[in-house]
Amino acid sequence: MKQRRIVVAIGRTSFGTNLPEQKKGVTAAAKAIADLVEAKYQVVLTHSNGPQVGMIHTAMNEFAVNHRQEGFTASPMSVCSAMSQGFMGFDLQNAIRTELLNRGIYKPVCTIITQVKVDPFDRAFNHPIKTIGRLMTKEEADAEVEKGNYVVETNGGWCRIIASPSPIEVYEIDSIRALSDAGHVVIAGGGGGIPVLEQGTRLKGASAVIEKDATAAKMADELDAEILLFLSAREHIFLYEDTEQEAMLEKLSLSQALDILDRGGLSQSGGMPKLAAAVNFVSNGKGRTAIITSIDKALGGILGKTGTIIS
């Protein structure tokens, strides 16, 4: 019997802000993924890299500043994104492999460094919103502006901000599909993928970060998955979160979800991007379901017992 394909997107709070926290986080994630494998799902996994890519970006650029006379230069955002996919994939694939073997399951687990096409004329490039790297002094911020980068003043200093364009195409999708069809658990599109621009036959990294939830929906659509599962810190998403009007969202039709997006009331950091990606995925194919729940409720979510479910 053909296994049902599910794309799982794990949120930024799941892996902490340092390596010990990441080790703990990937162990919890591995248990959730192993539950889905035991339930006979064909799993493709993607994940956030928010704190991790910022740590890499800061470290690489600090190194370049301190060793400028030796010829070292700053690392572009695309390179930092690729590094984060590699080292997070390393921890994830080993944790998942261990959890599966402890359950008596042999299934290969692999990580694919994933590039995602973006439009150079995407309006997001004129309106950057994603902060990256460490706090800077006024002098350092002025130097970034001289280079053509965007900065914003924040508490205690200045931060660089970059664009968050929409994903157009996942370049490695054929490899992801082939490995998934061959029975592998595939980790791909980490951090939303590496945003790249087409220049003839060459792909050039863009100074941007793609929203991870949007890439998860794009990847699920291109794989024609049946289920898109978002795993984060909370079991449901909420309207008007942390206010007197807070309302838990459970089972939603596509039209209800669209109405909520039109009316607003969801947090910009979590609920809104997830629901928008869920709507995008469900509306592009028949018989699709998107689920938003906590990482410890993954199996309950796909069984329809908990979570915010859009179908």
Side-chain angles (χ1 to χ4, degrees), residues 42-212:
Q42 199 179 65
V43 180
V44 176
L45 170 65
T46 188
H47 58 85
S48 175
N49 70 344
Q52 289 79 12
V53 75
M55 178 178 65
I56 292 169
H57 183 269
T58 298
M60 296 299 292
N61 286 287
E62 286 297 307
F63 181 84
V65 168
N66 292 328
H67 295 82
R68 188 173 296 156
Q69 292 182 342
E70 300 166 46
F72 291 97
T73 59
S75 295
M77 194 63 213
S78 54
V79 172
C80 297
S81 180
M83 289 181 179
S84 74
Q85 286 189 16
F87 96 83
M88 295 185 73
F90 166 68
D91 274 352
L92 271 168
Q93 70 185 45
N94 281 316
I96 295 168
R97 178 182 182 274
T98 296
E99 182 66 27
L100 290 173
L101 288 174
N102 287 344
R103 299 187 189 197
I105 301 169
Y106 176 74
K107 185 175 281 286
V109 187
C110 62
T111 300
I112 295 181
I113 303 300
T114 312
Q115 301 172 98
V116 178
K117 180 180 180 179
V118 297
D119 183 352
F121 300 106
D122 192 308
R123 287 180 294 178
F125 285 108
N126 295 321
H127 302 283
I129 58 171
K130 296 283 189 178
T131 58
I132 190 69
R134 62 170 176 81
L135 284 176
M136 298 182 292
T137 64
K138 180 67 166 61
E139 291 73 21
E140 290 171 325
D142 289 341
E144 289 296 322
V145 172
E146 283 288 323
K147 297 176 190 175
N149 295 324
Y150 290 88
V151 298
V152 63
E153 189 172 2
T154 185
N155 294 331
W158 285 259
C159 276
R160 185 178 166 195
I161 53 173
I162 58 177
S164 183
S166 298
I168 297 173
E169 177 185 351
V170 179
Y171 281 102
E172 288 73 26
I173 199 68
D174 290 336
S175 299
I176 296 167
R177 183 184 296 106
L179 287 164
S180 181
D181 287 343
H184 295 231
V185 174
V186 184
I187 303 162
I194 305 164
V196 292
L197 306 169
E198 276 191 359
Q199 296 185 344
T201 58
R202 179 171 174 260
L203 300 179
K204 178 178 172 56
S207 183
V209 174
I210 304 173
E211 175 61 55
K212 175 264 303 172

